[in-house]
Amino acid sequence: MTRAATIKKPAEIDATDPAAVREPGVDAPERPMRPYRTRAEVERAFRAVDAIRPHGPDSYDPIEAIRKLRDE
Amino acid sequence: MSAPRERTFVLDTNVAIHAFLPDDLVPDNLRAVRDAGRRFIARAVEVAASLIVPHRFYSEAIAAMQPLIYQERLSVQEAKAVLASVFALRPRTRRPDWNDVVDITVAMGRSSTGDSEFVAVARAEHCEVVTSDRPFWDAVRQRKIPVPVVLVTDHRLAQP
């Protein structure tokens, strides 16, 4: 089974069920991360998100996403 | 008393989201922008710079993750991990003066207020907006809005 096939669509997710939005292998925080206090901490966070391996074409531009939101 | 102006910045949402975007999601043409954002944020944390945002920063950041979730390129939990990393910056929130938002929106010739809220907060804080949105940066300059907006790729930001 491909990884994509295991992902539920947002409409299928029961937000009240923590297990429904949790996947194995993703180191997501159980509670809010504490504020960064050092450069090393924030650089560690950069490396942690880089370890996430998204799927699909790499064309996403958050600038465009936010611009569309602001223009709505 | 507020922090010295040179250590206070309004952080545009796109800089924060770009900096914490997983490496595999960053197209080659945006890598320099992402890297500049990371350098700025790392340096800002290092020198305990004050990062300030309007409240909409949080909703914009969450909304920016939605296309990736709907396209199934990030799972909900992965998107939450990205957002947790962004929000650990703990930017201070400030409500913009609505009079300023109206004036700035009109001066910029816009129908939406998103950019104006960031500019209005910067105006109140007497500091710069740091953005990676070049059209926004261009608009502020062309319309001669009297608030400094700097591109995150500006080399001067490497040493806030």
Side-chain angles (χ1 to χ4, degrees):
Chain A
M1 183 186 294
T2 65
R3 183 162 168 263
T6 67
I7 298 173
K8 293 185 176 183
K9 288 187 168 59
E12 298 170 346
I13 294 169
D14 176 3
T16 62
D17 176 9
V21 293
R22 198 157 293 147
E23 286 182 71
V26 178
D27 185 20
E30 293 292 324
R31 51 184 176 273
M33 291 172 67
R34 70 184 180 92
Y36 307 121
R37 301 201 185 282
T38 66
R39 187 183 187 110
E41 286 177 346
V42 73
E43 287 179 343
R44 196 177 307 130
F46 292 148
R47 289 195 295 275
V49 293
D50 282 346
I52 297 173
R53 290 286 174 252
H55 33 280
D58 58 350
S59 60
Y60 182 65
D61 181 354
I63 298 174
E64 287 301 320
I66 292 166
R67 189 179 296 147
K68 285 178 185 171
L69 179 74
R70 289 181 184 174
D71 287 342
E72 281 174 0
Chain B
M1 185 174 171
S2 62
R5 182 177 177 275
E6 64 269 23
R7 292 286 173 87
T8 302
F9 302 93
V10 170
L11 181 67
D12 201 348
T13 316
N14 47 56
V15 176
I17 288 294
H18 238 138
F20 289 97
L21 210 56
D23 195 57
D24 285 5
L25 273 177
V26 182
D28 288 344
N29 63 325
L30 294 174
R31 200 158 292 275
V33 172
R34 192 281 301 268
D35 291 347
R38 286 191 170 185
R39 283 196 299 276
F40 169 72
I41 285 174
R43 178 67 177 157
V45 169
E46 185 177 45
V47 300
S50 182
L51 300 176
I52 307 169
V53 295
H55 293 80
R56 68 177 297 129
F57 172 90
Y58 289 90
S59 54
E60 284 185 356
I62 294 166
M65 291 291 104
Q66 299 309 312
L68 297 169
I69 294 170
Y70 287 127
Q71 294 163 15
E72 299 189 343
R73 293 167 63 192
L74 281 186
S75 69
V76 171
Q77 199 61 11
E78 287 169 337
K80 284 184 175 180
V82 170
L83 289 169
S85 303
V86 171
F87 295 155
L89 287 170
R90 297 287 204 280
R92 176 162 66 85
T93 52
R94 175 164 183 159
R95 182 188 301 171
D97 181 283
W98 67 265
N99 267 300
D100 279 351
V101 174
V102 172
D103 291 343
I104 293 164
T105 304
V106 171
M108 289 180 69
R110 298 288 180 88
S111 57
S112 60
T113 61
D115 292 341
S116 309
E117 291 193 31
F118 287 82
V119 174
V121 170
R123 185 180 204 169
E125 294 282 345
H126 305 289
C127 69
E128 295 93 345
V129 181
V130 179
T131 186
S132 50
D133 186 346
R134 182 174 282 272
F136 168 42
W137 177 77
D138 279 338
V140 170
R141 286 157 52 95
Q142 288 168 4
R143 296 280 181 158
K144 296 183 168 50
I145 308 298
V147 172
V149 176
V150 292
L151 276 175
V152 74
T153 46
D154 188 322
H155 65 88
R156 290 170 295 177
L157 285 178
Q159 300 293 323

